Amino acid sequence: MSKKDRIFIEIIVGLLLITGAVYFFIKPRRESVWLSGRADVDSGKRVVMGTFARVIGVAADSDTAKRSIEAALAEITRVDELMSDYKEDSEISEVNRDGFERAVKVSEPTYEVLQKAVEFSELTGGAFDVTVGALVDLWRSAEEMNSVPSDAELAEARSRVGYDKLILDSNEMTVRFAAEGMRLDLGGIAKGYAIDRAVEAMQTEGAMGGMIDIGGDIRCFGAPPEGKERWRIGLQDSRAVGGEVGQGQILMVLELTDAAVATSGDYQRFVVIGGQRYSHIIDAESGYSGGELTSVTIIAKGAIEADALATAVSVKGVEGGLALVEQRKEAEAILVTSAPEYELIKSSGAERFIE
Ligand code: ADP
Ligand code: MG
């Protein structure tokens, strides 16, 4: 890589303020129309789901490419409106308010994401758990009071967590809680789900290739950018970040075709209590954050799998996390252990994606 390229990439990384991976073009074009009968269109940075998103559409003509990009962004916005727990009127907020009193009817996307969330809970032995909300809230308020939760507080919150207490009725498409005060938190899966739906929307609009990046969770499909053989994704170096957003260096470049990549980590989103950093990813079993890994990057076929597994491996740590990934033929992991070692660990098949 020339020095100029490297400087350019660093600027892009700095601008994006993303959490994990970053898609980059070496040639930063907004729109390129080629004689060969294809157009590459770049949405540029858009604010969705409380972060930055970027969509690139490749199609036979630029109108189709633009339409596919708008369809992707509309789909992402729809998922966010249904599933955000920050939005009072979202379906997830309704379930969180009323789910113990009554079975709450939800739309097909919300039902589907919850069903998938339970599947990932079963697959990961509960390391991924979408009902972790009560513990997330407890750690947030612990940060405000600057004191670590007591054992009693942790036990109480844990009694309100557990995917086995989430009752899904597929005939009625309803969601219900078996324990009072349970709370869903889709923070570890909604971006991945939104990306997969957005890819479908782009294909329906006629895109022959594309890339969707929501806050560093990325999926690319079909025809890569003109003149390239694969999509190139830069992984941010969590060691250089050290909690300072936008200080990123590139750890490595991944080359992908029809694949997704997601990164979870404690290096940009965490709580600080008494000067000590705690990850925003919590082990539902212990009530604490794992703390063994600074960053977990998962490469998988679909974005929902990459997203959920990245969260699960963060909880499971090096040994359990690698065992989980090795057992999934299509998934690979790139791990960075915590300070001061910052050891780089890759699953057995990861190398084939690394430039
Ligand atoms: P990021 O948001 O940095 O991309 P993740 O995809 O790993 O990272 O999502 C982390 C979020 O998932 C947390 O902020 C919280 O909302 C939620 N979460 C925390 N612990 C768990 C868990 N054990 N299982 C599922 N979701 C979790
Ligand atoms: Mg995740």
Side-chain angles (χ1 to χ4, degrees):
M1 209 189 310
S2 75
K3 197 171 167 213
K4 222 169 119 205
D5 282 347
R6 194 167 302 142
I7 288 167
F8 172 69
I9 290 163
E10 279 176 21
I11 290 168
I12 294 292
V13 173
L15 286 176
L16 280 175
L17 307 180
I18 42 70
T19 56
V22 47
Y23 172 76
F24 56 85
F25 259 150
I26 298 300
K27 291 173 284 185
R29 283 202 190 83
R30 263 295 160 103
E31 184 178 337
S32 349
V33 182
W34 304 84
L35 293 175
S36 55
R38 59 172 270 166
D40 295 39
V41 179
D42 184 341
S43 71
K45 205 164 64 168
R46 305 276 190 103
V47 176
V48 274
M49 296 186 102
T51 182
F52 293 113
R54 184 180 175 197
V55 181
I56 292 174
V58 179
D61 56 81
S62 66
D63 278 352
T64 307
K66 281 179 195 159
R67 266 205 321 275
S68 75
I69 288 173
E70 292 314 318
L73 289 164
E75 194 61 30
I76 295 164
T77 303
R78 186 163 90 103
V79 168
D80 188 39
E81 276 162 8
L82 292 172
M83 301 177 197
S84 166
D85 59 348
Y86 290 100
K87 296 195 162 84
E88 287 277 315
D89 56 350
S90 74
E91 287 188 345
I92 292 300
S93 291
E94 190 188 344
V95 173
N96 282 343
R97 261 194 314 271
D98 300 343
F100 181 64
E101 268 88 56
R102 62 179 174 92
V104 177
K105 196 158 182 66
V106 294
S107 62
E108 174 263 325
T110 302
Y111 193 82
E112 188 186 25
V113 80
L114 290 176
Q115 242 177 348
K116 296 233 161 112
V118 170
E119 278 172 33
F120 284 112
S121 292
E122 284 162 356
L123 177 80
T124 62
F128 181 87
D129 193 329
V130 79
T131 69
V132 77
L135 281 164
V136 171
D137 290 349
L138 178 63
W139 281 97
R140 278 203 195 118
S141 52
E143 181 176 41
E144 270 162 37
M145 310 195 352
N146 197 30
S147 80
V148 176
S150 68
D151 287 348
E153 284 170 323
L154 283 166
E156 192 280 328
R158 266 176 29 230
S159 75
R160 296 187 280 125
V161 172
Y163 67 95
D164 55 322
K165 297 194 276 276
L166 181 64
I167 305 161
L168 301 180
D169 181 333
S170 59
N171 291 321
E172 302 292 326
M173 279 232 289
T174 59
V175 186
R176 187 159 198 168
F177 294 147
E180 198 167 1
M182 282 176 72
R183 285 186 70 81
L184 297 172
D185 181 337
L186 270 57
I189 198 169
K191 278 188 282 178
Y193 181 71
I195 291 170
D196 286 342
R197 283 191 79 103
V199 166
E200 270 178 47
M202 290 183 82
Q203 288 167 333
T204 304
E205 285 297 331
M208 59 190 188
M211 186 285 312
I212 300 175
D213 172 352
I214 310 180
D217 284 6
I218 294 174
R219 180 170 156 194
C220 36
F221 68 96
E226 183 77 34
K228 296 272 182 304
E229 284 189 4
R230 301 215 250 167
W231 296 89
R232 301 176 74 234
I233 311 292
L235 281 197
Q236 202 174 23
D237 192 340
S238 50
R239 295 169 290 192
V241 175
E244 291 294 316
V245 175
Q247 305 264 307
Q249 306 264 319
I250 294 287
L251 176 67
M252 61 179 75
V253 175
L254 303 179
E255 291 199 315
L256 306 177
T257 39
D258 294 305
V261 48
T263 303
S264 286
D266 69 358
Y267 63 98
Q268 281 187 340
R269 293 181 55 208
F270 47 81
V271 298
V272 180
I273 301 168
Q276 165 110 18
R277 241 163 72 163
Y278 296 88
S279 170
H280 66 300
I281 298 169
I282 296 159
D283 181 349
E285 205 177 315
S286 68
Y288 285 90
S289 58
E292 212 180 20
L293 291 162
T294 279
S295 96
V296 173
T297 297
I298 300 288
I299 304 164
K301 277 272 161 213
I304 193 168
E305 172 165 358
D307 195 2
L309 287 185
T311 307
V313 170
S314 301
V315 168
K316 282 183 162 286
V318 178
E319 203 181 324
L322 275 182
L324 173 65
V325 168
E326 294 295 353
Q327 153 206 325
R328 307 279 294 171
K329 230 194 284 161
E330 311 269 19
E332 300 297 340
I334 297 158
L335 315 177
V336 178
T337 66
S338 298
E341 290 83 9
Y342 291 127
E343 193 191 344
L344 184 63
I345 301 169
K346 299 170 204 159
S347 63
S348 60
E351 210 63 55
R352 70 182 189 280
F353 296 109
I354 299 168
E355 187 182 63

